[in-house]
Amino acid sequence: MVRVDPNSSVPPFEQVRTAYAERINDGTLPVGAKLPTVRKLAEDLGIAPNTVAKAYRELEEAGLIETRGRAGTFVSAVGDESRERARQAAADYAALTKKLGLGRDEAKAIVDAALG
């Protein structure tokens, strides 16, 4: 179950987005799993429907979920492809940093700054 901490400095939509992204990425929510409707999740969490809609929109833009009209919102198989693309990008970055003569710590620092 996704939870929202009203006392957190993290905005509610980001808490929802992060919780679902983590569950999708760790396989807790498998490809094809149906997510609650925006209204139902908003009601369950005690937040505005627009807040949930924003989180779902960002998850969809990231390729982690897909909306199939009246059928609902589901975990997307594209999320698996997205992870593979990220792995490949990481491998390419590692090869580039080695070619440039950057050390492991410096390469990690660059990634940390980019993720900032």
Side-chain angles (χ1 to χ4, degrees), residues 12-75:
F13 86 90
E14 181 62 19
Q15 292 180 51
V16 172
R17 189 203 64 77
T18 300
Y20 273 112
E22 287 174 355
R23 293 178 69 198
I24 291 167
N25 286 323
D26 72 11
T28 304
L29 278 174
V31 170
K34 187 172 182 176
L35 275 60
T37 65
V38 167
R39 286 186 182 159
K40 175 68 173 139
L41 185 57
E43 181 181 310
D44 290 348
L45 297 175
I47 58 178
N50 285 343
T51 301
V52 174
K54 182 175 182 179
Y56 276 20
R57 226 177 1 263
E58 290 195 8
L59 290 165
E60 193 158 20
E61 288 171 8
L64 295 174
I65 64 172
E66 60 186 357
T67 301
R68 301 178 191 159
R70 292 182 161 232
T73 303
F74 299 84
V75 174

